[in-house]
Amino acid sequence: MYLNLDSLKKDRCVYRITTLERVKELFLTRQNVLVAPRLWDDPFENFILSSPVRLKSGEIMEYPFHESVYGQCWTLHKASDAMWRIYASNGNGVRIRSSVETLGRLFEQAHPEHTDTRCCVGRVRYLTSSKMRKVANTTFDDFGIGMDKLFGSLLVKRPAFSHEKELRLLYLEIDDTKLKSDTYSYSVDPHQMIDQIMFDPRMSYKEFEHVKTDFQQSTGFRGRILRSLLYAAPKREILGISDWEP
């Protein structure tokens, strides 16, 4: 169920920046929503699973696995200007906080019979083109693909995206009647999943006070709700003169 975590402690905090509307929806529906990788911006996402494969016999096969997986992106970044601007470009972002252990435990509870074969919590590796090609060429064999290789193929990205420090929830759907959907949802208690909420640093304090009260009233959330101080001006100080000379 866990891939590429290595020395990462299970109690390590992880974060997800999204919109206020999405976070409210999570609390009101009590459903966590994963999306098909084809909806992600990077065209290299899921390219391994969707590529044709040449078997040792010379026969070329195309497997349907790329239509069967869903994912959700989190980050190990606690504070990142880039992440706020990428995932909340309109200044209405919300950062939710959980932990590796909490995400995995609740994911497992929602899929008790299929945890080891259909669920994964994994950290993304950022690889050069040659290393990514090596992963691609060792993903399949004449018997198809193993679960670790299937999920692992969705945990590689190019170094240009390394600033994301990404961790993903991944799910494999085997019900043919659901494979055309762009999303997959599972039941979760958001009050167990999320222990802190932080609002966009570009939000004024007055607006923050308003949305904080509204959010508490509409969702019943009693955890910590903060406003990011990423863009707060530094405290004015009298600076000294150094004796140092170049």
Side-chain angles (χ1 to χ4, degrees):
M1 181 178 177
Y2 295 95
L3 282 179
N4 305 337
L5 297 189
D6 303 323
S7 60
L8 188 68
K9 294 182 179 180
K10 295 292 182 64
D11 62 354
R12 173 74 178 268
C13 288
V14 290
Y15 309 89
R16 176 170 167 80
I17 295 177
T18 183
T19 64
L20 176 59
E21 291 73 19
R22 291 282 178 83
V23 178
K24 276 188 174 181
E25 183 179 16
L26 169 64
F27 275 86
L28 297 178
T29 65
R30 300 172 74 87
Q31 296 284 314
N32 193 31
V33 181
L34 282 61
V35 302
R38 60 179 173 270
L39 300 182
W40 294 338
D41 292 334
D42 182 6
F44 276 73
E45 296 285 8
N46 207 12
F47 89 94
I48 296 177
L49 295 183
S50 58
S51 298
V53 179
R54 187 187 302 276
L55 304 181
K56 292 180 180 179
S57 63
E59 180 183 4
I60 296 178
M61 295 283 295
E62 290 194 26
Y63 294 95
F65 300 115
H66 63 283
E67 297 288 349
S68 308
V69 288
Y70 297 87
Q72 186 179 70
C73 305
W74 292 70
T75 179
L76 297 171
H77 264 307
K78 181 178 181 180
S80 168
D81 172 77
M83 299 298 282
W84 282 110
R85 294 183 184 278
I86 292 170
Y87 295 103
S89 58
N90 294 326
N92 64 339
V94 178
R95 192 200 73 181
I96 55 179
R97 188 179 77 177
S98 187
S99 72
V100 176
E101 187 279 330
T102 298
L103 290 180
R105 173 171 50 82
L106 296 179
F107 208 15
E108 181 178 11
Q109 288 177 2
H111 308 87
E113 298 178 1
H114 308 290
T115 300
D116 294 335
T117 58
R118 295 167 66 177
C119 303
C120 175
V121 180
R123 182 161 55 171
V124 172
R125 295 186 297 156
Y126 300 95
L127 306 178
T128 62
S129 297
S130 60
K131 290 183 178 180
M132 189 176 289
R133 191 177 298 112
K134 183 177 180 179
V135 171
N137 286 323
T138 57
T139 295
F140 294 91
D141 57 35
D142 276 3
F143 300 100
I145 186 173
M147 295 307 301
D148 57 337
K149 296 290 185 66
L150 186 151
F151 287 129
S153 71
L154 291 166
L155 295 172
V156 291
K157 295 191 73 171
R158 292 170 291 170
F161 295 89
S162 61
H163 63 276
E164 295 178 341
K165 295 183 68 173
E166 195 171 337
L167 180 133
R168 289 177 171 176
L169 296 182
L170 298 172
Y171 178 77
L172 174 67
E173 179 58 77
I174 61 175
D175 186 343
D176 291 341
T177 64
K178 300 178 180 179
L179 295 185
K180 297 301 181 181
S181 175
D182 286 337
T183 62
Y184 169 77
S185 302
Y186 67 93
S187 298
V188 70
D189 183 349
H191 297 279
Q192 292 185 28
M193 182 181 187
I194 298 170
D195 64 7
Q196 184 195 88
I197 290 175
M198 180 174 286
F199 283 92
D200 202 297
R202 293 159 291 185
M203 186 178 291
S204 70
Y205 186 77
K206 182 177 181 180
E207 183 181 4
F208 163 68
E209 286 288 282
H210 172 73
V211 295
K212 174 184 176 180
T213 300
D214 176 74
F215 186 85
Q216 289 173 323
Q217 293 176 346
S218 61
T219 66
F221 183 70
R222 291 295 176 262
R224 295 190 70 192
I225 299 181
L226 308 171
R227 169 176 166 264
S228 173
L229 299 179
L230 183 63
Y231 303 142
K235 182 180 179 181
R236 184 177 176 83
E237 297 181 2
I238 298 176
L239 304 180
I241 297 177
S242 174
D243 293 329
W244 181 81
E245 295 182 1

